[in-house]
Amino acid sequence: MRVGVITFPGTLDDRDAQRAVRLAGHEPVALWHGEHDLHGVDALVLPGGFSYGDYLRCGAIAARSPIMTEVVDAAERGMPVLGICNGFQMLTEARLLPGGLVRNQTGVFVRRDQVLRVERTSTDWTNRFADGQEIVIPLKNGEGRFVATPDEVARIEGEGLVVFRYVGDDPNGSVDAIAGLADAKGNVVGLMPHPEHAVELGFGPTTTRMKAGLDGLDGCLRHSNPQLVSFSNRPFQKPFSVTPTDWSSASLRSNCSSSSDSFFGTSTTRRTW
């Protein structure tokens, strides 16, 4: 599967997203904001960062970049589109998702390993998770508070568009603790936390399940069928622990199962984003 990752001026996490796609066993395709060509990709990722310096509103200028015409058309035709952090902001500004993202209620930048609850699994990006499953994904934002009008909130909740909610303290002050949304068809998903930062053994948040930060791989970019990418989880064959001799890629891979399901659809051997 060819997954396009779009770079805008000020994008920060495009390389991380490309790496996550590669670890998931897919082919990352670098796309530039100024083009009108998606180069025949099968899915799209709008990565995090500070596009155009967050001027006007976060994602507002990027949502009007030339390539976004193609992104909107592709999304309306059913192509899987994932917006992460600044990418989520772009999706709301492009009206592919409802509501908007504004300054955190505390007024400060938040960075933490965040527990999320999966609220909807009938999307192209979350169909390998279980309803109600809790995962740990890094969060880092200053304008991550989801807001919407009362009528929009009623529609979002009534139509089951919430994909992820924050568990425990709401880090941004988002309405209904909303961390991520999908459109009605389920091919467009946006979330504030960063699954591309939870894709490699020993480098992501470590959970009580000893997964060592693979919840991002376990759900987003792997397919459960030829048309779908997924965010789901894969169990380890044994608990993961690091010793000075464990850092070769071969020894790290030996600590995870060899099946290939995950978030980014991440699977090297095994991941899904």
Side-chain angles (χ1 to χ4, degrees), residues 195-207:
E196 80 281 16
H197 296 328
V199 296
E200 196 161 14
L201 289 168
F203 292 93
T206 299
T207 73

Side-chain angles (χ1 to χ4, degrees), residues 41-113:
V41 299
D42 305 300
L44 289 165
V45 176
L46 280 61
F50 305 93
S51 60
Y52 293 95
D54 284 347
Y55 286 103
L56 299 183
R57 292 182 308 277
C58 297
I61 299 175
R64 287 151 183 81
S65 292
I67 201 167
M68 288 301 292
T69 302
E70 319 309 320
V71 172
V72 171
D73 288 346
E76 291 176 347
R77 293 195 307 270
M79 180 180 288
V81 178
L82 178 67
I84 303 169
C85 196
N86 192 212
F88 184 13
Q89 295 162 341
M90 294 177 206
L91 293 177
T92 62
E93 291 287 344
R95 309 317 299 159
L96 286 171
L97 292 175
L101 286 306
V102 299
R103 173 70 63 178
N104 293 343
Q105 196 167 50
T106 60
V108 300
F109 191 95
V110 176
R111 53 182 179 84
R112 59 196 272 185
D113 293 336

Side-chain angles (χ1 to χ4, degrees), residues 143-179:
E143 291 84 14
R145 177 162 59 105
F146 180 77
V147 295
T149 66
D151 286 345
E152 282 183 311
V153 173
R155 181 176 72 84
I156 289 166
E157 296 288 2
E159 295 181 7
L161 303 185
V162 179
V163 179
F164 299 103
R165 290 190 206 271
Y166 299 113
V167 174
D169 293 337
D170 180 342
N172 308 311
S174 296
V175 63
D176 289 356
I178 292 172

Side-chain angles (χ1 to χ4, degrees), residues 222-240:
R222 167 167 273 288
H223 280 232
S224 60
N225 70 47
Q227 296 304 315
L228 299 181
V229 228
S230 161
F231 267 112
S232 84
N233 268 44
R234 158 208 320 284
F236 279 135
Q237 290 175 326
K238 58 182 180 179
F240 174 72

Side-chain angles (χ1 to χ4, degrees), residues 234-252:
R234 158 208 320 284
F236 279 135
Q237 290 175 326
K238 58 182 180 179
F240 174 72
S241 60
V242 176
T243 68
T245 59
D246 281 335
W247 290 100
S248 72
S249 60
S251 65
L252 289 175

